[in-house]
Amino acid sequence: MLYMVHMQVNIPATLPRSEADRLKAEEKAYAQKLQQDGTWRHLWRIAGQYANYSVFDVAGNDALHEVLSSLPLYPYMAISVTPLAQHPSAIAAN
């Protein structure tokens, strides 16, 4: 199943910089692994924000929750999820 996910990151100013930097590095490595595996199909930054729109390809709701809650920055994210379906006019199959 495909899901469009909006993630807004809000790292508190009180978090030590070294901890924030560590979490960001772990997040990048995990995100790149998921992209290489084909789980994280698209990743788009929203200009001017610490946020993104992403497309995930997972087995279902529970699998998506597992992936998202495993993100190192998950505790600092506001997330919204939209399930996607193939559009009958699309020329490319998903």
Side-chain angles (χ1 to χ4, degrees), residues 4-78:
M4 180 178 66
V5 178
H6 176 248
M7 293 180 252
Q8 178 75 46
V9 182
N10 299 299
I11 299 174
T14 56
L15 189 71
R17 179 146 185 121
S18 59
E19 177 68 6
D21 290 345
R22 182 187 66 76
L23 288 171
K24 290 177 191 178
E26 289 177 8
E27 181 88 9
K28 181 177 181 176
Y30 184 53
Q32 289 178 344
K33 177 192 174 298
L34 291 171
Q35 289 173 74
Q36 291 166 349
D37 293 347
T39 300
W40 199 324
R41 300 234 343 257
H42 299 279
L43 174 56
W44 296 95
R45 170 171 284 168
I46 300 171
Q49 297 180 32
Y50 195 174
N52 71 73
Y53 278 103
S54 297
V55 175
F56 289 86
D57 188 357
V58 293
N61 297 338
D62 292 334
L64 180 64
H65 181 76
E66 181 65 32
V67 168
L68 295 176
S69 63
S70 296
L71 293 168
L73 289 173
Y74 177 78
Y76 307 108
M77 290 182 181

